[in-house]
């Protein structure tokens, strides 16, 4: 049995994703100083749930648009929060912290693109959300356990 495609165009999904991204930047801006680790955990967990919803409900227009809006929010907020965490973890050398963060982000993007291509070629589009969920779950655990060094208390 084939699954029906959602009744929405790529441009609409990308527009909704972009709106969500703007909201995510705003969320990061208002939470980074007071609740950095909590906000990071929340957005990473939300991103994981969004990808799972794409895997489970890819045939639903409402689910795809809702997921795109929320996922956009996570993609707008997570980079800002993670960069803030890096600078806070190395307050005596913020330039090096930013350099390492940017390098790590680029390696992650390249590695994710490579892995995505391998998964897409091997298992198909249906496996992409689940692969991303596994990677995001690892990120959630990393942030959860990085209380002392990755997200030092402010004071």
């Amino acid at each position: 049995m084939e699954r029906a495609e959602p009744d929405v165009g790529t441009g609409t999904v990308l527009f909704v994703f972009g709106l969500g991204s703007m909201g995510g930047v705003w969320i990061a801006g208002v939470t980074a100083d007071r609740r950095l680790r909590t906000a990071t955990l929340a957005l990473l967990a939300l991103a994981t749930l969004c990808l799972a919803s794409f895997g489970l409900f890819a045939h639903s227009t409402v689910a795809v648009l809702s997921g795109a809006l929320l996922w956009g929010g996570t993609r707008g907020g997570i980079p800002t929060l993670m960069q803030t965490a890096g600078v806070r973890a190395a307050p005596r050398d913020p330039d090096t912290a930013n350099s390492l963060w940017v390098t790590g982000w680029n390696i992650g993007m390249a590695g994710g693109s490579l892995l995505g291509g391998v998964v897409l070629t091997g298992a198909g589009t249906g496996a992409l959300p689940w692969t991303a969920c596994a990677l995001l779950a690892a990120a959630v655990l990393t942030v959860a356990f990085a209380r002392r060094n990755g997200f030092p208390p402010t004071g």
Side-chain angles (χ1 to χ4, degrees):
M1 179 169 133
E2 281 193 39
R3 295 170 70 167
E5 294 295 320
D7 189 24
V8 62
T10 303
T12 301
V13 174
L14 291 174
F15 177 74
V16 169
F17 179 87
L19 290 176
S21 293
M22 290 188 302
V25 171
W26 180 80
I27 289 168
V30 299
T31 60
D33 286 336
R34 290 182 293 250
R35 302 264 187 238
L36 178 61
R37 186 169 168 273
T38 302
T40 304
L41 280 169
L43 288 182
L44 285 169
L46 180 59
T48 306
L49 293 174
C50 287
L51 271 290
S53 76
F54 290 146
L56 293 171
F57 307 111
H59 60 282
S60 167
T61 301
V62 171
V64 167
L65 289 176
S66 299
L69 181 71
L70 294 173
W71 188 35
T74 68
R75 297 291 91 191
I78 291 170
T80 303
L81 295 171
M82 294 301 290
Q83 188 171 20
T84 303
V87 169
R88 282 201 186 157
R92 293 186 181 152
D93 201 358
D95 291 335
T96 300
N98 273 327
S99 297
L100 289 171
W101 183 86
V102 169
T103 301
W105 185 264
N106 286 326
I107 290 169
M109 294 296 283
S113 297
L114 178 63
L115 178 61
V118 169
V119 169
L120 187 59
T121 300
T125 58
L128 287 173
W130 303 113
T131 304
C133 277
L135 294 171
L136 282 163
V140 170
L141 289 174
T142 300
V143 171
F145 290 115
R147 177 179 305 234
R148 188 175 50 135
N149 294 323
F151 293 85
T154 57

